[in-house]
Amino acid sequence: MAGVINDVESLKHFRGELMDISEDLQEQLKKTDTAIEDVASVWKDSQFKKFNEDFQKDKEMIKPLCENIEAFEGEVLRPLEDILRDYLAL
């Protein structure tokens, strides 16, 4: 079985790491949004406006990344782990 993934625990760990990354990214985005809202009341120059616009654009790219990570974990890796567990009779 050379080249075949057969380590269920490693696969489970990898799934967990991916979900942690997605959750951490989303949590950090929320914290950054809150911080930007706080700063917006006192920092009103063109540099802040540019920063905020750039951040909002970047944020819109991160959301689909998190969704893709979660979809891959749920639609590919979790079923693969289930199949592997059945195959190995675990």
Side-chain angles (χ1 to χ4, degrees):
M1 291 182 67
V4 175
I5 299 169
N6 63 4
D7 185 344
V8 175
E9 290 307 312
S10 290
L11 184 57
K12 181 179 178 180
H13 178 75
F14 180 63
R15 284 182 40 235
E17 291 290 321
L18 283 177
M19 293 307 293
D20 288 346
I21 289 169
S22 178
E23 291 168 8
D24 289 348
L25 279 171
Q26 291 177 61
E27 183 178 323
Q28 291 303 320
L29 283 176
K30 288 177 186 175
K31 287 179 181 180
T32 305
D33 272 338
T34 301
I36 287 173
E37 288 174 13
D38 292 344
V39 169
S41 64
V42 293
W43 186 17
K44 297 180 185 275
D45 66 3
S46 62
Q47 289 296 329
F48 175 75
K49 182 179 178 185
K50 178 165 177 17
F51 169 79
N52 193 23
E53 289 170 356
D54 290 346
F55 175 75
Q56 296 306 320
K57 288 177 189 174
D58 291 344
K59 185 171 77 170
E60 292 308 313
M61 294 187 322
I62 293 173
K63 286 180 181 180
L65 173 64
C66 292
E67 291 169 0
N68 288 340
I69 289 171
E70 292 169 8
F72 182 70
E73 186 277 332
E75 297 169 11
V76 176
L77 294 178
R78 185 177 302 150
L80 178 61
E81 182 183 332
D82 292 342
I83 290 167
L84 189 55
R85 284 185 185 281
D86 289 344
Y87 178 76
L88 297 173
L90 296 176

